[in-house]
Amino acid sequence: MDERQLEYFVAVAEELSFTRAAAKLFVVQSTVSASIRALEHSLDARLLQRTSKSVNLTEAGRAFLPEAKAALDVLGRARATVRDTDAGLRGALRVGTLSGMTALNSAAMARRFAQLHPQVSLYLETSPSGSSGLLDKVRNATLDVAFVSVASPSDALGVEPRSLRTLPLRVLLPPGHRLSTRKSVRLSDIASDPFVDMPVGFGIRTLLDDAFRRARLTRSISVQAADLTTIPDFVAAGLGTAVVPDMSRSEELGLTSTAITGATLTWTLSAVVRAGADTSRAARALLELAPTFLSDRPVY
């Protein structure tokens, strides 16, 4: 097994096509095919299921893919370590963050990192599937660092979270709500309300689903919004109640934010890296930089 075989396998696995993988790698298809066969022979396992019309990963191939990516990542970091002893950081850094979040100024952090380490190729993305999508990408070595909510013990599997900020969750009530004069409410008080919430897989949705389940309460979702910062607008339109961290948008709309009693619900922003992986110097530099770009205000 060698590095080129791993590169060819990852390319085919991502493209699910020998033709597209060969074009991506600027080699002829026969070279890719021969390399994959040699890799399968060395592992004594079929990694790809080939037909005349399609290419798919076998069970062994799916298990091997994240390990192949991780091995290539280790080799890349090893080369970078040798190259840049005194020349500053080099290489590539792939980072994921949550859409619409202001608790961490991701754009300003990325700009400052690029200024400090111009020889590092920085890639930044937000996830349409929230924290769960970013966590999966860290686990399979597609991302080096992600800024997410680790909402349950299962979220922490395969990653190492480093807590950056914790915010209490509060009930956001629509105008004229029957509980708007209360200083605090219980989950049972609002369980019958229609809810504005995030899709399944997002950290806050996981927290709330677990909290209502523990309290043996059920609720109905009237609106799902992938961008947390838009939830106050739906609440202001009278479409439902929400449980969210304090947000500047809620204040702008004049919505009532009420404390929760009888349950401790908090949202924690964490920086995560892959568990057991050798964190690169570039990733460590970003982790050290991140706390300086946390918002001065206790809002999402």
Side-chain angles (χ1 to χ4, degrees), residues 210-218:
D210 288 348
F212 276 87
R213 192 177 300 113
R214 287 194 303 271
R216 298 183 179 181
L217 298 170
T218 59

Side-chain angles (χ1 to χ4, degrees), residues 149-177:
S149 169
V150 179
S152 66
S154 61
D155 287 342
L157 294 175
V159 299
E160 294 177 2
R162 309 177 187 200
S163 177
L164 294 174
R165 169 157 294 175
T166 297
L167 301 174
L169 296 185
R170 295 173 64 85
V171 177
L172 201 59
L173 299 171
H177 193 279

Side-chain angles (χ1 to χ4, degrees), residues 66 129-143 155 159:
S129 54
S131 292
S132 64
L134 293 172
L135 286 164
D136 284 342
K137 289 190 173 185
V138 171
R139 292 187 190 103
N140 66 29
T142 302
L143 293 175
D155 287 342
V159 299

